[in-house]
mmCIF file of all heavy atoms in Angstrom:
data_model
loop_
_atom_site.group_PDB
_atom_site.id
_atom_site.type_symbol
_atom_site.label_atom_id
_atom_site.label_comp_id
_atom_site.label_asym_id
_atom_site.label_seq_id
_atom_site.Cartn_x
_atom_site.Cartn_y
_atom_site.Cartn_z
ATOM 1 N N LEU A 1430 -1.786 1.125 6.644
ATOM 2 C CA LEU A 1430 -0.739 2.093 6.449
ATOM 3 C C LEU A 1430 0.639 1.461 6.562
ATOM 4 O O LEU A 1430 1.522 1.643 5.775
ATOM 5 C CB LEU A 1430 -0.848 3.182 7.488
ATOM 6 C CG LEU A 1430 0.165 4.358 7.407
ATOM 7 C CD1 LEU A 1430 0.047 5.012 6.031
ATOM 8 C CD2 LEU A 1430 -0.072 5.361 8.515
ATOM 9 N N TRP A 1431 0.768 0.528 7.614
ATOM 10 C CA TRP A 1431 2.062 -0.170 7.708
ATOM 11 C C TRP A 1431 2.402 -0.985 6.553
ATOM 12 O O TRP A 1431 3.495 -1.028 6.089
ATOM 13 C CB TRP A 1431 2.056 -1.060 9.017
ATOM 14 C CG TRP A 1431 3.372 -1.627 9.388
ATOM 15 C CD1 TRP A 1431 4.258 -1.208 10.268
ATOM 16 C CD2 TRP A 1431 3.921 -2.821 8.744
ATOM 17 N NE1 TRP A 1431 5.352 -1.973 10.279
ATOM 18 C CE2 TRP A 1431 5.189 -3.009 9.361
ATOM 19 C CE3 TRP A 1431 3.472 -3.728 7.825
ATOM 20 C CZ2 TRP A 1431 6.104 -4.060 9.009
ATOM 21 C CZ3 TRP A 1431 4.356 -4.822 7.509
ATOM 22 C CH2 TRP A 1431 5.568 -4.917 8.014
ATOM 23 N N ALA A 1432 1.357 -1.693 6.106
ATOM 24 C CA ALA A 1432 1.588 -2.671 4.977
ATOM 25 C C ALA A 1432 1.953 -1.986 3.674
ATOM 26 O O ALA A 1432 2.825 -2.335 2.956
ATOM 27 C CB ALA A 1432 0.297 -3.475 4.700
ATOM 28 N N LEU A 1433 1.374 -0.836 3.388
ATOM 29 C CA LEU A 1433 1.644 -0.086 2.231
ATOM 30 C C LEU A 1433 3.032 0.581 2.268
ATOM 31 O O LEU A 1433 3.762 0.670 1.276
ATOM 32 C CB LEU A 1433 0.537 0.931 1.896
ATOM 33 C CG LEU A 1433 -0.718 0.441 1.483
ATOM 34 C CD1 LEU A 1433 -1.725 1.498 1.077
ATOM 35 C CD2 LEU A 1433 -0.630 -0.642 0.279
ATOM 36 N N ARG A 1434 3.379 0.944 3.529
ATOM 37 C CA ARG A 1434 4.790 1.508 3.703
ATOM 38 C C ARG A 1434 5.769 0.467 3.462
ATOM 39 O O ARG A 1434 6.767 0.636 2.892
ATOM 40 C CB ARG A 1434 4.916 2.143 5.037
ATOM 41 C CG ARG A 1434 6.236 2.925 5.232
ATOM 42 C CD ARG A 1434 6.414 3.374 6.704
ATOM 43 N NE ARG A 1434 6.588 2.347 7.570
ATOM 44 C CZ ARG A 1434 7.144 2.465 8.748
ATOM 45 N NH1 ARG A 1434 7.511 3.688 9.237
ATOM 46 N NH2 ARG A 1434 7.327 1.464 9.610
ATOM 47 N N GLU A 1435 5.546 -0.754 4.071
ATOM 48 C CA GLU A 1435 6.470 -1.854 3.847
ATOM 49 C C GLU A 1435 6.555 -2.257 2.364
ATOM 50 O O GLU A 1435 7.652 -2.555 1.836
ATOM 51 C CB GLU A 1435 5.950 -3.068 4.650
ATOM 52 C CG GLU A 1435 6.703 -4.413 4.374
ATOM 53 C CD GLU A 1435 8.191 -4.362 4.665
ATOM 54 O OE1 GLU A 1435 8.647 -3.404 5.351
ATOM 55 O OE2 GLU A 1435 8.931 -5.204 4.196
ATOM 56 N N ALA A 1436 5.401 -2.259 1.630
ATOM 57 C CA ALA A 1436 5.373 -2.581 0.216
ATOM 58 C C ALA A 1436 6.235 -1.548 -0.568
ATOM 59 O O ALA A 1436 6.978 -1.892 -1.472
ATOM 60 C CB ALA A 1436 3.941 -2.613 -0.277
ATOM 61 N N ARG A 1437 6.101 -0.226 -0.139
ATOM 62 C CA ARG A 1437 6.907 0.799 -0.857
ATOM 63 C C ARG A 1437 8.455 0.608 -0.539
ATOM 64 O O ARG A 1437 9.239 0.914 -1.389
ATOM 65 C CB ARG A 1437 6.430 2.197 -0.401
ATOM 66 C CG ARG A 1437 7.108 3.359 -1.103
ATOM 67 C CD ARG A 1437 6.713 4.676 -0.559
ATOM 68 N NE ARG A 1437 7.129 4.907 0.841
ATOM 69 C CZ ARG A 1437 6.920 5.971 1.497
ATOM 70 N NH1 ARG A 1437 6.169 6.964 0.944
ATOM 71 N NH2 ARG A 1437 7.268 6.084 2.728
ATOM 72 N N ARG A 1438 8.773 0.152 0.653
ATOM 73 C CA ARG A 1438 10.132 -0.061 0.995
ATOM 74 C C ARG A 1438 10.688 -1.168 0.075
ATOM 75 O O ARG A 1438 11.835 -1.107 -0.427
ATOM 76 C CB ARG A 1438 10.241 -0.534 2.417
ATOM 77 C CG ARG A 1438 11.656 -0.668 2.874
ATOM 78 C CD ARG A 1438 11.743 -1.256 4.345
ATOM 79 N NE ARG A 1438 11.373 -2.660 4.317
ATOM 80 C CZ ARG A 1438 12.153 -3.717 4.035
ATOM 81 N NH1 ARG A 1438 13.387 -3.486 3.698
ATOM 82 N NH2 ARG A 1438 11.709 -4.975 4.112
ATOM 83 N N ARG A 1439 9.903 -2.166 -0.184
ATOM 84 C CA ARG A 1439 10.326 -3.302 -1.055
ATOM 85 C C ARG A 1439 10.344 -2.790 -2.537
ATOM 86 O O ARG A 1439 11.316 -3.179 -3.286
ATOM 87 C CB ARG A 1439 9.496 -4.461 -0.973
ATOM 88 C CG ARG A 1439 9.586 -5.151 0.431
ATOM 89 C CD ARG A 1439 8.926 -6.543 0.306
ATOM 90 N NE ARG A 1439 8.447 -6.975 1.587
ATOM 91 C CZ ARG A 1439 7.759 -8.137 1.693
ATOM 92 N NH1 ARG A 1439 7.552 -8.954 0.676
ATOM 93 N NH2 ARG A 1439 7.328 -8.499 2.893
ATOM 94 N N TYR A 1440 9.271 -2.087 -2.892
ATOM 95 C CA TYR A 1440 9.164 -1.668 -4.331
ATOM 96 C C TYR A 1440 8.861 -0.245 -4.431
ATOM 97 O O TYR A 1440 7.726 0.283 -4.464
ATOM 98 C CB TYR A 1440 7.984 -2.485 -4.954
ATOM 99 C CG TYR A 1440 8.072 -3.900 -4.954
ATOM 100 C CD1 TYR A 1440 7.302 -4.680 -4.091
ATOM 101 C CD2 TYR A 1440 9.068 -4.602 -5.713
ATOM 102 C CE1 TYR A 1440 7.438 -6.128 -4.006
ATOM 103 C CE2 TYR A 1440 9.095 -6.004 -5.689
ATOM 104 C CZ TYR A 1440 8.305 -6.721 -4.880
ATOM 105 O OH TYR A 1440 8.422 -8.132 -4.832
ATOM 106 N N PRO A 1441 9.974 0.550 -4.439
ATOM 107 C CA PRO A 1441 9.750 2.036 -4.417
ATOM 108 C C PRO A 1441 8.956 2.582 -5.575
ATOM 109 O O PRO A 1441 8.294 3.644 -5.458
ATOM 110 C CB PRO A 1441 11.239 2.606 -4.481
ATOM 111 C CG PRO A 1441 12.090 1.473 -3.879
ATOM 112 C CD PRO A 1441 11.386 0.197 -4.330
ATOM 113 N N ASP A 1442 8.955 1.856 -6.711
ATOM 114 C CA ASP A 1442 8.128 2.344 -7.838
ATOM 115 C C ASP A 1442 6.966 1.491 -8.008
ATOM 116 O O ASP A 1442 6.235 1.442 -9.112
ATOM 117 C CB ASP A 1442 8.968 2.215 -9.125
ATOM 118 C CG ASP A 1442 9.468 0.802 -9.358
ATOM 119 O OD1 ASP A 1442 9.563 0.003 -8.436
ATOM 120 O OD2 ASP A 1442 9.815 0.473 -10.580
ATOM 121 N N GLY A 1443 6.486 0.780 -6.918
ATOM 122 C CA GLY A 1443 5.340 -0.042 -7.012
ATOM 123 C C GLY A 1443 4.031 0.728 -7.203
ATOM 124 O O GLY A 1443 3.894 1.851 -6.684
ATOM 125 N N LEU A 1444 3.051 0.119 -7.898
ATOM 126 C CA LEU A 1444 1.807 0.763 -8.118
ATOM 127 C C LEU A 1444 0.704 0.135 -7.201
ATOM 128 O O LEU A 1444 0.493 -1.110 -7.342
ATOM 129 C CB LEU A 1444 1.361 0.620 -9.653
ATOM 130 C CG LEU A 1444 0.055 1.179 -10.114
ATOM 131 C CD1 LEU A 1444 0.132 2.723 -10.109
ATOM 132 C CD2 LEU A 1444 -0.279 0.667 -11.452
ATOM 133 N N VAL A 1445 0.032 0.893 -6.422
ATOM 134 C CA VAL A 1445 -1.010 0.395 -5.510
ATOM 135 C C VAL A 1445 -2.290 0.193 -6.294
ATOM 136 O O VAL A 1445 -2.725 1.109 -7.088
ATOM 137 C CB VAL A 1445 -1.269 1.303 -4.299
ATOM 138 C CG1 VAL A 1445 -2.365 0.718 -3.438
ATOM 139 C CG2 VAL A 1445 0.000 1.527 -3.563
ATOM 140 N N ILE A 1446 -2.892 -1.005 -6.134
ATOM 141 C CA ILE A 1446 -4.160 -1.303 -6.751
ATOM 142 C C ILE A 1446 -5.142 -1.715 -5.696
ATOM 143 O O ILE A 1446 -4.893 -2.609 -4.928
ATOM 144 C CB ILE A 1446 -3.973 -2.425 -7.809
ATOM 145 C CG1 ILE A 1446 -3.063 -1.940 -8.944
ATOM 146 C CG2 ILE A 1446 -5.388 -2.874 -8.323
ATOM 147 C CD1 ILE A 1446 -2.884 -2.920 -10.016
ATOM 148 N N HIS A 1447 -6.223 -1.101 -5.666
ATOM 149 C CA HIS A 1447 -7.412 -1.414 -4.833
ATOM 150 C C HIS A 1447 -8.676 -1.128 -5.485
ATOM 151 O O HIS A 1447 -8.707 -0.502 -6.598
ATOM 152 C CB HIS A 1447 -7.274 -0.592 -3.483
ATOM 153 C CG HIS A 1447 -7.546 0.958 -3.647
ATOM 154 N ND1 HIS A 1447 -8.719 1.504 -3.795
ATOM 155 C CD2 HIS A 1447 -6.573 1.957 -3.862
ATOM 156 C CE1 HIS A 1447 -8.541 2.824 -3.942
ATOM 157 N NE2 HIS A 1447 -7.331 3.125 -3.952
ATOM 158 N N THR A 1448 -9.741 -1.733 -5.054
ATOM 159 C CA THR A 1448 -11.050 -1.565 -5.699
ATOM 160 C C THR A 1448 -11.858 -0.374 -5.201
ATOM 161 O O THR A 1448 -11.506 0.216 -4.205
ATOM 162 C CB THR A 1448 -11.943 -2.882 -5.432
ATOM 163 O OG1 THR A 1448 -12.469 -2.809 -4.138
ATOM 164 C CG2 THR A 1448 -11.114 -4.130 -5.661
ATOM 165 N N THR A 1449 -12.982 -0.104 -5.867
ATOM 166 C CA THR A 1449 -13.840 0.929 -5.471
ATOM 167 C C THR A 1449 -14.544 0.639 -4.140
ATOM 168 O O THR A 1449 -15.095 1.562 -3.525
ATOM 169 C CB THR A 1449 -14.919 1.196 -6.570
ATOM 170 O OG1 THR A 1449 -15.584 -0.096 -6.829
ATOM 171 C CG2 THR A 1449 -14.324 1.675 -7.857
ATOM 172 N N ALA A 1450 -14.572 -0.693 -3.753
ATOM 173 C CA ALA A 1450 -15.172 -1.089 -2.503
ATOM 174 C C ALA A 1450 -14.176 -1.168 -1.343
ATOM 175 O O ALA A 1450 -14.617 -1.512 -0.211
ATOM 176 C CB ALA A 1450 -15.900 -2.437 -2.708
ATOM 177 N N ALA A 1451 -12.906 -0.815 -1.571
ATOM 178 C CA ALA A 1451 -11.949 -0.833 -0.424
ATOM 179 C C ALA A 1451 -12.314 0.160 0.591
ATOM 180 O O ALA A 1451 -12.971 1.132 0.345
ATOM 181 C CB ALA A 1451 -10.525 -0.551 -1.009
ATOM 182 N N HIS A 1452 -11.934 -0.130 1.843
ATOM 183 C CA HIS A 1452 -12.150 0.742 2.997
ATOM 184 C C HIS A 1452 -11.552 2.086 2.655
ATOM 185 O O HIS A 1452 -10.489 2.203 2.047
ATOM 186 C CB HIS A 1452 -11.624 0.149 4.258
ATOM 187 C CG HIS A 1452 -12.033 0.830 5.498
ATOM 188 N ND1 HIS A 1452 -11.207 1.797 6.052
ATOM 189 C CD2 HIS A 1452 -13.161 0.785 6.182
ATOM 190 C CE1 HIS A 1452 -11.795 2.259 7.192
ATOM 191 N NE2 HIS A 1452 -12.964 1.663 7.270
ATOM 192 N N TYR A 1453 -12.133 3.164 3.165
ATOM 193 C CA TYR A 1453 -11.601 4.507 2.870
ATOM 194 C C TYR A 1453 -10.274 4.749 3.462
ATOM 195 O O TYR A 1453 -9.515 5.691 3.049
ATOM 196 C CB TYR A 1453 -12.579 5.539 3.463
ATOM 197 C CG TYR A 1453 -12.823 5.495 4.996
ATOM 198 C CD1 TYR A 1453 -11.927 6.004 5.854
ATOM 199 C CD2 TYR A 1453 -13.976 4.815 5.503
ATOM 200 C CE1 TYR A 1453 -12.113 5.936 7.278
ATOM 201 C CE2 TYR A 1453 -14.159 4.790 6.939
ATOM 202 C CZ TYR A 1453 -13.288 5.282 7.764
ATOM 203 O OH TYR A 1453 -13.504 5.234 9.133
ATOM 204 N N SER A 1454 -9.783 3.855 4.328
ATOM 205 C CA SER A 1454 -8.443 4.048 4.931
ATOM 206 C C SER A 1454 -7.362 3.747 3.851
ATOM 207 O O SER A 1454 -6.172 4.157 3.987
ATOM 208 C CB SER A 1454 -8.220 3.165 6.147
ATOM 209 O OG SER A 1454 -8.344 1.846 5.866
ATOM 210 N N VAL A 1455 -7.681 2.932 2.864
ATOM 211 C CA VAL A 1455 -6.700 2.454 1.864
ATOM 212 C C VAL A 1455 -6.336 3.713 1.013
ATOM 213 O O VAL A 1455 -5.097 4.030 0.864
ATOM 214 C CB VAL A 1455 -7.216 1.345 1.018
ATOM 215 C CG1 VAL A 1455 -6.209 0.987 -0.129
ATOM 216 C CG2 VAL A 1455 -7.334 0.108 1.900
#
């Protein structure tokens, strides 16, 4: 959660990409 929030701070229009095998927390 911290990392994605930091990524959004840097890139407000950023697109998150994760796989179908990513942990449910993502």
